[in-house]
Amino acid sequence: MCPTFAGPVYGKIGITQLQFRKGGRRMETNAVQANLLLRVPEVTAALRFYEQALGWERLELCAAAGYALLRQPGGAAALLAAHGTAAEALRPLQAPACRELSPGGRFYVTAPPDEALERLQQRAEEAGGRWLDETEPGWRTVTITTPEGYRAAYWQELFPSDEETLALFAAGPDRLEAALEGLGEAGLDLARTPGTWSIREQVLHVVDLELAALHKLKFALAGPERGRAYNGNGFSQDAWAAGMRYASRPVRAEVALFRLVREHVLSVCKHTPGALTRSVIASGREETAGRLMKMMAGHANVHIRRIGEIRKQHAID
């Protein structure tokens, strides 16, 4: 049976009320809403890969309406929908911040333990997917490309030494500048696929995220006591990209700023005893300065790799 939808989201975010008809009676239940929407040619056929190869759990299938709701490892929900399914029909199944990806787009999934991740790679390859190991200090990442071209990045946190974290953080500016070497304005506008971010947009996003994370990092570095409360504001990266015109802005100042920010943080760490162990409490969880720096470095390196992929795709040496 397929649900009809009764009204808006209620209660906590991610829960909606669904109404089912069975034997002439109306039944009500609660269902998780999806944070991710993936369009596929045909839902039932696509399910085989996501269930059998990726190990996602089916929560709801309505082939007649052209959608399936699944739970990923780690608990997040995703929605598969046939290309012809109207957006209005899917809206009640989507959380307010749900992202619809284009083929080539990337999303992150909490990875299973090492042995299970190896089996996941094998199952994905046997089912027609491709995988790429993108592990670096701080994060183990295996990216699986689905038959539709979406890229599921299964990640696990690793725990490098303080020296390794500082080296990873320090290497970022050289890596970014090398990735951009020789690109003119036209080259900065190249993208992996239509509808995905260009090299220009990747760069501006990296620097904005660096600046957003810097406030929390400085708050941690400034106090010798562990676990001071920190309250930050969330934001939509797509709203920032549109609102601050990522698609048309130059990047020269931002590339220079990226280097200066990294050098500034490293200088603070050099002159602050026990810098990487200082911490804040954010969203109920303690985060050390070292972990924040590892996350900043890892985030930037993901986008630097994307720039390299775009250059390779367009045969730019």
Side-chain angles (χ1 to χ4, degrees):
M1 59 183 176
C2 296
T4 58
F5 299 95
V9 173
Y10 72 95
K12 63 182 180 180
I13 297 239
I15 302 295
T16 190
Q17 188 178 67
L18 308 184
Q19 294 183 344
F20 294 85
R21 292 192 177 276
K22 184 177 181 180
R25 294 182 296 112
R26 175 177 288 180
M27 303 173 61
E28 293 184 354
T29 187
N30 293 333
V32 177
Q33 289 185 302
N35 294 308
L36 178 69
L37 171 60
L38 305 176
R39 294 281 184 172
V40 297
E42 199 278 319
V43 171
T44 304
L47 265 178
R48 287 193 289 271
F49 182 85
Y50 290 89
E51 287 186 298
Q52 297 174 19
L54 299 187
W56 295 10
E57 176 190 359
R58 184 192 308 187
L59 300 176
E60 179 70 32
L61 169 63
C62 190
Y67 74 80
L69 189 66
L70 301 101
R71 180 180 287 118
Q72 302 169 353
L79 183 63
L80 301 184
H83 288 302
T85 306
E88 187 65 30
L90 298 172
R91 194 160 291 118
L93 290 159
Q94 298 174 256
C98 183
R99 292 192 305 146
E100 179 173 355
L101 288 192
S102 300
R106 169 184 294 258
F107 59 95
Y108 288 85
V109 184
T110 303
D114 289 343
E115 184 178 355
L117 186 54
E118 301 297 332
R119 294 198 301 271
L120 176 69
Q121 293 171 210
Q122 182 179 355
R123 291 200 309 268
E125 191 170 9
E126 291 172 350
R130 305 185 308 277
W131 62 269
L132 177 66
D133 194 326
E134 298 179 300
T135 298
E136 61 179 57
W139 310 97
R140 184 180 185 204
T141 306
V142 174
T143 299
I144 295 173
T145 302
T146 73
E148 301 84 20
Y150 303 113
R151 294 185 294 165
Y154 283 78
W155 66 273
Q156 288 176 328
E157 184 171 3
L158 304 176
F159 301 95
S161 67
D162 287 353
E163 291 74 17
E164 290 172 325
T165 297
L166 290 168
L168 183 68
F169 193 81
D174 285 344
R175 291 185 64 174
L176 178 61
E177 290 167 14
L180 298 176
E181 187 175 0
L183 288 176
E185 289 298 307
L188 290 171
D189 289 327
L190 296 173
R192 185 181 177 93
T193 57
T196 60
W197 277 357
S198 66
I199 292 176
R200 183 188 307 277
E201 290 167 304
Q202 303 270 354
V203 173
L204 295 175
H205 168 73
V206 164
V207 178
D208 268 351
L209 265 289
E210 196 86 0
L211 295 175
L214 181 63
H215 186 263
K216 184 193 291 187
L217 176 59
K218 292 295 292 291
F219 199 87
L221 288 170
E225 69 276 17
R226 293 177 63 94
R228 292 190 301 156
Y230 176 84
N231 296 308
N233 293 318
F235 63 91
S236 163
Q237 62 182 30
D238 293 325
W240 278 33
M244 292 189 279
R245 306 297 190 269
Y246 284 10
S248 58
R249 278 171 43 202
V251 302
R252 181 186 59 81
E254 283 74 14
V255 172
L257 180 59
F258 182 68
R259 176 174 291 280
L260 291 173
V261 167
R262 290 286 176 98
E263 290 178 354
H264 164 71
V265 170
L266 290 167
S267 177
V268 172
C269 291
K270 181 179 178 180
H271 293 89
T272 303
L276 271 63
T277 64
R278 297 187 176 197
S279 66
V280 294
I281 300 292
S283 302
R285 183 178 64 181
E286 183 177 17
E287 295 186 74
T288 65
R291 185 173 189 273
L292 289 169
M293 292 171 66
K294 180 179 70 174
M295 293 174 66
M296 293 165 71
H299 173 262
N301 287 345
V302 165
H303 289 280
I304 291 168
R305 285 198 298 270
R306 299 293 82 78
I307 292 169
E309 292 171 2
I310 293 170
R311 292 184 67 129
K312 182 177 180 180
Q313 180 179 334
H314 292 277
I316 300 175
D317 295 329

